[in-house]
Amino acid sequence: MVKLYCDLETYSDIPIKHGSHRYSEGAEVMLFAYALDEGPIYVWDKTTGEPMPANLAAWLKDDSIETVWHNGGNFDTVVLRSAMGLDLPLERVTDTMVQALQHGLPGKLADLCEVFSVKSDEAKDKDGKRLINLFCKTQIKKGKRKVIDANGEEHEETVIVKEWRNTRETHPHDWARFVKYAGSDILAMRAIHRKMPRWNCTAKELALWRLDQTINRRGVLVDTELAHGAIAAVEQEQARLAAQTFEMTAGEVEAATQRDKLLKYICASYGVTLPDMQSATLERRINDPDLPAPLRELLAVRLSSTTSSTAKYKTLINNASSDGRLRGLLQFCGAARTGRWAGRMWQPQNLPRPTLKPDAISAAIGAFKGGYSDLVVPDIMAAASSALRGCIIAPIGKKLVITDLSNIEGRVLTKLANEAWKIEAFKANDAGTGHDLYILAYAKAFGITPEEVEKHQRQIGKVLELSMGFAGGVGAFAAMALAYGMDLDDLAAKAGPAIPAHIWDKAVSMRSFMDSKGRGMSGLSENTWLVCESLKQLWREAHPEIVKLWAKVEKAAKDAICGKPSVVNGLKFDRKGAWLRIRLPSGRFLSYPAPAVDLNKDGVFYSGLSYMGTCPYSRKWKRLKTFGGKLVENIVQAIARDVLAENMAAIEAAGYHIVLTVHDEVITEAPAIASYNAIDLSRLLAIVPAWMQGLPLMAKGFEADRYRKDD
């Protein structure tokens, strides 16, 4: 198919950080660079007032020509439709950024140039960035002014003194350079498009991307009145807590949010050294009866001060389009190693878990909107955090119908490893004839009946299930336990006596090995560490097939890198050029660029396993280490994504308009009539794909006027 490579240079008085859909409402296309296949690069300077060149107009109208953009789905085509009224059918749009993400590559064009050794002129690139900042952004001059705060004290604050826009008239010489520069991305895009793999660019994935674009352009309706009310309430409460902190510390700390000052004050005044100010640390110390009461109160103020932030509410207000809908919240294949969706802007995948009950949240929402939260809401910070999901609302005449795949990762892992007893346990629980899986996890580990499992033991079972499936150790268990508010020392005291002798001996041996390697105990006491290690060993003993899967997957990956393809538990491992590929049951591939293993001098024994990827911490393209458990985690999450994706088209076809997906949850808008309901939607989501027969699948949902966590 003939390809038309395209790139826009645009301006809007709405900052791009507010998202492309909001940005596009004030956007103007200044330059339109384009080239047909390997032909010459043209740049249409729209600011001259000249009409669209005849060749560009003809190529854009020709349905036989494919248009190629970098981030075109989420940006260029959105702006093109809003600013110029050109609505390109998604069937004619190819996005090279999505193509990169589909194969484990970075999304930025500059990073792709580095990965594929596409030559670029550094001086030109640097000048290009200068020109983009010069012409594509509003210019701002800031200054200082003196203000009097609520305490009558004078201080300075930063203010905008002047705003203006640079144009071809104000900077003619730079504009000429800008027009010349505009075509450079076309050169890079063409080269990258030729070099990138295409094995995941299937018709099935392309159809899914088009559905993703429909969902992103549809967006969610949001309650900006609630957002404004929550911001006002939180800011008022923050001021009150700051004043309380100032008083409690005799003026040495102005606000509890000043972490370093507060740590220093606590150490100097109470002789207490805290390792950090994380919520788990504060909660433990607040419950310490030996701590002085004033210090416990101060820590409680700090905890409350940092429970909620207005940032997400402000993002929602700034990013919402003029029709009240928030768009562009998802990035297709944004989690590059698994192909899962990633959140953007408001980050719906990263909303805090509510700490209040649904009735309390509902009451708080009414109070925030009515402006009387200080009179009726006991904990404003917790309420604001818990109410964030409630900003997504149903339009008039419609309702939100929501469903979630139940423990999909645990189910996929169980099926993939063929852990037979657990597959049957899932099926029995789904049928209403079996026990809760967290109860079973504890019972299986300790060799007792499910009826004997007590409430606190079920919680241990839950943490084991959530932390152990991908070869997690004591650190993973401890982190998950703390996330669920468990006291690890208390857990050790209760669980320790029930640990079998042979398991305890294994834990002691592991501790000796760890000591020999100079490895610590994750901040735990020795006894607590040994109990956590014992729980790990118990879980692994109860899941032999899953443990085997970790080793089999790691060996298969190393073999494939060295040129020996294999099939393990229905997964095909091979090397394709510079990529390690893992073919999933759906037919999609996990792709690991530039894989490597360390061999011994005889070239036989494998040790380290690594590949090139984007570091989740530094966001830099670098060599990353991995191992069997981590690879299994990638595989399981990828299969879970494919299960979700498999049924999304059927959900749309049934009249449920998907407005958002959050992990394994689907949020839809549907007519407010009985025939559209959570039971029907859950049935559609839980259809077992033909390529994963035998997977015990279950979805549960609810209907609401506002988005929330299920009761």
Side-chain angles (χ1 to χ4, degrees), residues 649-704:
I651 288 170
E652 280 278 324
Y656 296 91
H657 285 176
I658 302 173
V659 294
L660 191 62
T661 63
V662 180
H663 301 301
D664 308 306
E665 184 178 49
V666 175
I667 304 160
T668 74
E669 288 178 358
I673 55 178
S675 57
Y676 291 93
N677 55 75
I679 293 174
D680 182 51
L681 180 62
S682 297
R683 176 189 61 80
L684 290 168
L685 184 60
I687 296 172
V688 179
W691 43 262
M692 202 67 179
Q693 286 301 304
L695 173 67
L697 204 56
M698 170 66 76
K700 295 180 180 178
F702 62 96
E703 301 166 35

Side-chain angles (χ1 to χ4, degrees), residues 430-684:
D430 292 344
T433 59
H435 290 281
D436 173 278
L437 265 292
Y438 299 146
I439 289 175
L440 275 180
Y442 187 91
K444 186 79 173 176
F446 283 89
I448 61 176
T449 66
E451 289 76 16
E452 295 176 90
V453 176
E454 299 177 8
K455 185 177 180 180
H456 76 276
Q457 293 169 332
R458 179 191 181 276
Q459 192 74 346
I460 295 173
K462 181 176 183 178
V463 172
L464 282 170
E465 283 292 284
L466 296 177
S467 63
M468 293 290 104
F470 305 120
V474 169
F477 178 84
M480 188 65 70
L482 290 173
Y484 278 88
M486 297 176 68
D487 185 312
L488 287 170
D489 293 330
D490 181 61
L491 178 152
K494 290 178 178 176
I499 293 170
H502 76 284
I503 292 292
W504 187 263
D505 290 342
K506 280 187 179 181
V508 171
S509 295
M510 179 58 74
R511 184 64 253 155
S512 298
F513 172 77
M514 298 286 276
D515 284 339
S516 71
K517 298 294 183 181
R519 297 176 185 173
M521 294 189 290
S522 303
L524 306 175
S525 68
E526 184 173 4
N527 183 68
T528 299
W529 190 95
L530 288 170
V531 170
C532 292
E533 173 66 20
S534 296
L535 291 171
K536 181 197 85 174
Q537 296 288 352
L538 283 167
W539 190 93
R540 292 186 179 185
E541 193 173 79
H543 296 79
E545 297 306 318
I546 291 175
V547 173
K548 289 177 188 175
L549 181 65
W550 304 333
K552 288 193 290 185
V553 163
E554 182 166 330
K555 182 179 185 303
K558 290 176 176 178
D559 282 347
I561 292 169
C562 296
K564 295 192 301 183
S566 62
V567 177
V568 170
N569 291 44
L571 305 165
K572 182 180 178 181
F573 294 75
D574 69 5
R575 180 164 187 158
K576 183 78 169 178
W579 270 264
L580 164 67
R581 302 192 309 176
I582 304 174
R583 188 181 188 276
L584 304 170
S586 65
R588 189 167 66 92
F589 290 89
L590 292 189
S591 305
Y592 296 84
V597 292
D598 298 327
L599 306 177
N600 73 351
K601 62 180 181 179
D602 299 318
V604 177
F605 297 106
Y606 310 127
S607 54
L609 174 60
S610 65
Y611 62 95
M612 294 298 291
T614 302
C615 176
Y617 307 108
S618 67
R619 311 309 302 171
K620 300 291 186 182
W621 184 254
K622 60 182 291 188
R623 184 153 293 279
L624 304 174
K625 293 182 178 180
T626 192
F627 61 99
K630 187 65 177 177
L631 288 173
V632 170
E633 182 181 31
N634 291 169
I635 292 164
V636 167
Q637 290 186 350
I639 294 173
R641 175 269 198 192
D642 290 347
V643 171
L644 177 78
E646 187 79 11
N647 294 323
M648 286 170 62
I651 288 170
E652 280 278 324
Y656 296 91
H657 285 176
I658 302 173
V659 294
L660 191 62
T661 63
V662 180
H663 301 301
D664 308 306
E665 184 178 49
V666 175
I667 304 160
T668 74
E669 288 178 358
I673 55 178
S675 57
Y676 291 93
N677 55 75
I679 293 174
D680 182 51
L681 180 62
S682 297
R683 176 189 61 80
L684 290 168

Side-chain angles (χ1 to χ4, degrees), residues 173-433:
H173 296 297
D174 276 325
W175 185 263
R177 296 171 67 90
F178 189 39
V179 172
K180 188 176 180 180
Y181 165 80
S184 61
D185 280 354
I186 299 290
L187 280 173
M189 197 191 318
R190 282 199 303 204
I192 294 299
H193 189 47
R194 288 195 304 266
K195 289 172 176 273
M196 278 194 295
R198 286 174 167 76
W199 50 74
N200 279 332
C201 299
T202 61
K204 185 177 180 179
E205 283 295 304
L206 185 56
L208 182 63
W209 173 73
R210 289 170 184 157
L211 176 56
D212 159 85
Q213 291 297 290
T214 299
I215 294 167
N216 267 313
R217 294 177 183 192
R218 182 180 289 152
V220 295
L221 184 63
V222 290
D223 189 343
T224 53
E225 184 185 359
L226 167 58
H228 282 291
I231 290 170
V234 168
E235 290 180 345
Q236 181 180 348
E237 180 68 359
Q238 285 174 335
R240 187 189 70 80
L241 291 170
Q244 188 176 349
T245 303
F246 187 84
E247 182 179 349
M248 293 175 71
T249 61
E252 292 191 37
V253 183
E254 291 86 358
T257 52
Q258 295 177 318
R259 175 185 175 277
D260 293 342
K261 278 189 175 183
L262 190 58
L263 283 170
K264 184 177 179 181
Y265 173 82
I266 290 171
C267 182
S269 301
Y270 295 98
V272 174
T273 302
L274 297 175
D276 53 58
M277 282 287 186
Q278 294 181 9
S279 58
T281 302
L282 297 179
E283 286 166 358
R284 285 201 306 273
R285 298 313 298 265
I286 288 169
N287 293 324
D288 183 353
D290 296 329
L291 219 58
L295 177 54
R296 288 206 303 274
E297 185 181 358
L298 182 58
L299 294 180
V301 170
R302 161 70 187 189
L303 186 61
S304 184
S305 296
T306 55
T307 295
S308 182
S309 165
T310 59
K312 278 190 178 291
Y313 284 110
K314 289 179 179 178
T315 297
L316 181 145
I317 292 168
N318 290 332
N319 293 18
S321 299
S322 56
D323 63 355
R325 297 189 76 91
L326 187 59
R327 297 179 168 88
L329 293 178
L330 298 173
Q331 174 59 60
F332 187 76
C333 287
R337 281 188 282 281
T338 65
R340 282 187 145 184
W341 281 268
R344 291 293 181 262
M345 300 183 303
W346 193 55
Q347 294 288 352
Q349 322 284 25
N350 193 30
L351 295 174
R353 291 186 66 86
T355 56
L356 303 184
K357 298 293 184 182
D359 287 348
I361 296 173
S362 181
I365 288 173
F368 287 144
K369 295 181 71 170
Y372 54 85
S373 56
D374 56 322
L375 301 177
V376 299
V377 179
D379 188 337
I380 286 182
M381 301 308 225
S385 178
S386 297
L388 260 170
R389 280 178 171 81
C391 287
I392 295 177
I393 57 177
I396 295 173
K398 294 190 176 183
K399 60 184 175 182
L400 299 179
V401 187
I402 301 163
T403 189
D404 192 10
L405 287 166
S406 303
N407 193 2
I408 180 63
E409 289 186 17
R411 292 165 183 265
V412 169
L413 176 61
T414 298
K415 173 60 181 171
L416 190 64
N418 197 27
E419 197 73 71
W421 72 266
K422 203 165 189 178
I423 294 174
E424 294 307 313
F426 274 117
K427 290 179 179 178
N429 184 247
D430 292 344
T433 59

